[in-house]
């Protein structure tokens, strides 16, 4: 659907629509109410919950940068699974989100498969 040049565009979200539909998630052990239908990154940024992760080597804090899945600065742990891109993952009721501290446990998976010897 095309609009005429100069015609006002309808916003994707309005303040009222964000306030009316919410879900409850758990972030770092605290239950928080966030807008339904938004990414984890957007929801946590609305709650000013930064940093999202730390780097493996220097433990430098990181937060979302590109918001489109390219930079990997927004990695979090979701429902016990590490290295989830918060900018590409939509919030859902009951989701458990934690900051990712350093590298995920990828080495443990290799050891379990017999490749870590």
């Amino acid at each position: 659907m095309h609009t005429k040049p100069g015609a006002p565009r309808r916003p994707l979200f309005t303040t009222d629509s964000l306030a009316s539909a919410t879900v409850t998630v758990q972030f770092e052990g605290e239950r928080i109410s966030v807008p339904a239908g938004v990414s984890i990154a957007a929801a946590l940024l609305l709650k000013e919950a930064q940093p999202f992760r730390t780097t493996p080597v220097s433990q430098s804090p990181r937060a979302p940068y590109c918001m489109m899945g390219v930079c990997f600065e927004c990695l979090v742990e979701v429902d016990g699974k590490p290295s989830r891109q918060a900018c590409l993952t939509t919030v859902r009721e009951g989701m458990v989100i934690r900051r990712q501290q350093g590298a995920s446990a990828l080495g443990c998976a290799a050891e379990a498969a017999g490749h870590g010897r």
Side-chain angles (χ1 to χ4, degrees), residues 16 25 58 80 111:
D16 292 336
V25 300
S58 67
E111 287 176 20

Side-chain angles (χ1 to χ4, degrees), residues 99-112:
R99 288 184 174 96
Q100 184 160 308
Q101 304 298 324
S104 66
L106 294 177
C108 294
E111 287 176 20

